[in-house]
Amino acid sequence: MQLLSPVKLGRIELANRVVMAPMTRSRADSQSDMPSQIMKDYYAQRAGAGLIITEGCHPSAEGKGYCRTPGLYTQAQQAAWGEICDAVHGRGGKIVLQLMHCGRVAHRDNKAAGVRTVGPSAIAAQGKIYTDAGMQDFVKPVAMSLGDIEQTIADYVAATKMAFAAGFDGVELHCTSGYLPAQFLSTGTNHRDDQYGGSLENRLRFVIELITAMTVVGGAGRVGMRICPGNPFNDLHDNDHCATFAALLDAIETIGLAYLHVIRMPKIQDNIALAKAHFSGPLIVNDSYSQETAEAALVDPQISAVSFGRAFIANPDLPLRFAGNRPLAEFNPRLLYSPGPEGYSDYPMSR
Ligand SMILES: Cc1cc2nc3c(=O)[nH]c(=O)nc-3n(C[C@H](O)[C@H](O)[C@H](O)COP(=O)(O)O)c2cc1C
């Protein structure tokens, strides 16, 4: 079974190709944004994955959008993440931190008092976001100044340094789903008239500068990026998302990232073909794969691994279940983002 064979993504060595996809589960401390003890249990239980990619983690207080999501911008957060890394490594696993700055996809009730919500332009996302007081309209972001852009890149760099100090095997830039990097790339969210907006070249600038800065910290072989061209999530719109992502991938090709994590969108276009045409490194592919379709995908030599999200929720030992052809358990959707261990770290192993 290809899925269970080892592979190397840049400098990260995986024991198998079953990757756990990043999933926000809202179990961090709501005040300190500290990873919790149950997060340690949850990730340790899933250490049999060839690689765990953590839930989105904000690199600054401003980058927080949802409630009870973890951050990495204080020493205390670094120490707590360090315990999670140790627990996963202690069970033979590998773990990458996903850095997610939500930009305009936020609500003030989900953030510390007085912390701004920022974006490339002052355009609110249409729709509502979950808060503990119920669903509320997205807030209108403050358009970032050039100084804010510089500071935000510095925040990602600081978080990358802290991630390596905590023991993470790598970091992944979340560059889809309507969050800050995607907001800079897209015509619907970026109406700037300076060097970070307007032309395609200008809209790419933030992400290129950001990923380049992140790779300077510990080398490109420990940095991945997640994309999903055409993903309209969180009211994202781009006049030509294929051209945007093709140009982005062309521009970063020579950096030599550890991997590109591609979410397919077959109803919109073939994102895997797009990625292959413009990126020559290893690919992790995602979305709605089964064991069988994942095996078939791995026939392509550029596809190094397949990530599974929902299947890992109720099946902590997913690779073992694949190996033994054991049935997969279903998760309880009502407990996806609820606080506490229920529906989170209490799903049993199959053994
Ligand atoms: C509860 C939940 C939370 C998610 N949170 C994130 C996230 O923080 N970052 C991210 O890149 N994708 C996130 N996703 C998307 C998953 O990584 C993945 O792309 C999606 O579940 C499709 O893969 P699957 O069919 O294997 O579940 C989330 C998905 C779910 C179900």
Side-chain angles (χ1 to χ4, degrees):
M1 204 187 293
Q2 264 299 87
L3 260 180
L4 298 179
S5 64
V7 71
K8 204 168 170 196
L9 305 176
R11 283 171 47 202
I12 312 168
E13 289 183 32
L14 281 57
N16 64 62
R17 296 157 190 254
V18 182
V19 170
M20 179 175 162
M23 283 183 292
T24 292
R25 301 299 309 277
S26 293
R27 259 66 175 198
D29 182 81
S30 62
Q31 300 304 315
S32 65
D33 299 353
M34 292 256 294
S36 58
Q37 176 64 40
I38 55 170
M39 285 171 59
K40 181 172 147 186
D41 299 341
Y42 167 81
Y43 284 120
Q45 290 159 0
R46 287 155 183 79
L51 177 67
I52 291 171
I53 303 173
T54 69
E55 63 207 281
C57 168
H58 42 279
S60 62
E62 260 180 19
K64 190 179 186 191
Y66 299 103
C67 62
R68 284 178 274 103
T69 50
L72 182 48
Y73 53 91
T74 68
Q75 289 301 319
Q77 291 160 356
Q78 180 184 312
W81 278 118
E83 286 187 29
I84 292 176
C85 292
D86 289 348
V88 170
H89 291 151
R91 295 196 183 191
K94 293 285 162 71
I95 183 164
V96 156
L97 180 77
Q98 185 185 62
L99 286 174
M100 172 171 106
H101 188 307
C102 294
R104 71 173 189 160
V105 178
H107 194 278
R108 66 182 73 81
D109 286 4
N110 291 340
K111 304 169 106 131
V115 174
R116 300 183 310 167
T117 288
V118 298
S121 301
I123 306 167
Q126 296 303 303
K128 293 187 186 296
I129 183 167
Y130 177 86
T131 70
D132 279 335
M135 298 300 288
Q136 301 197 53
D137 289 342
F138 287 111
V139 296
K140 189 170 172 181
V142 173
M144 291 165 77
S145 67
L146 291 178
D148 290 334
I149 290 176
E150 201 180 320
Q151 181 59 52
T152 301
I153 293 175
D155 291 341
Y156 273 97
V157 167
T160 302
K161 285 184 185 153
M162 289 179 124
F164 293 143
F168 281 102
D169 298 287
V171 292
E172 176 178 288
L173 175 64
H174 194 346
C175 191
T176 173
S177 307
Y179 302 120
L180 189 69
Q183 290 162 28
F184 269 94
L185 294 177
S186 305
T187 52
T189 36
N190 184 342
H191 290 189
R192 301 178 70 92
D193 57 9
D194 62 5
Q195 65 268 41
Y196 289 95
S199 66
L200 173 59
E201 193 187 351
N202 285 352
R203 280 183 286 113
L204 300 182
R205 194 177 312 280
F206 175 73
V207 176
I208 295 171
E209 288 183 359
L210 175 56
I211 195 87
T212 304
M214 286 168 64
T215 59
V216 168
V217 177
R222 296 176 76 187
V223 178
M225 184 166 86
R226 189 167 215 220
I227 64 166
C228 182
N231 184 355
F233 192 52
N234 287 317
D235 191 30
L236 194 73
H237 170 77
D238 188 38
N239 286 342
D240 192 346
H241 49 256
C242 288
T244 299
F245 276 90
L248 175 65
L249 295 179
D250 287 343
I252 63 167
E253 165 70 7
T254 53
I255 294 179
L257 291 180
Y259 66 83
L260 187 67
H261 190 176
V262 184
I263 306 175
R264 58 181 178 170
M265 278 219 130
K267 287 191 188 135
I268 296 187
Q269 79 262 319
D270 188 344
N271 280 345
I272 297 175
L274 189 153
K276 287 176 56 152
H278 298 277
F279 180 81
S280 62
L283 299 180
I284 304 176
V285 297
N286 171 257
D287 202 1
S288 303
Y289 281 92
S290 64
Q291 180 177 355
E292 291 70 28
T293 57
E295 271 301 325
L298 290 173
V299 170
D300 182 328
Q302 203 183 338
I303 298 181
S304 296
V306 180
S307 72
F308 298 84
R310 288 162 292 179
F312 261 108
I313 295 174
N315 300 281
D317 53 351
L318 187 65
L320 275 184
R321 297 192 198 209
F322 284 162
N325 280 317
R326 297 176 201 163
L328 298 189
E330 298 289 328
F331 65 88
N332 182 344
R334 285 187 299 105
L335 299 172
L336 277 179
Y337 306 109
S338 54
E342 201 192 350
Y344 182 61
S345 52
D346 62 350
Y347 288 109
M349 300 287 184
S350 57
R351 287 163 285 169

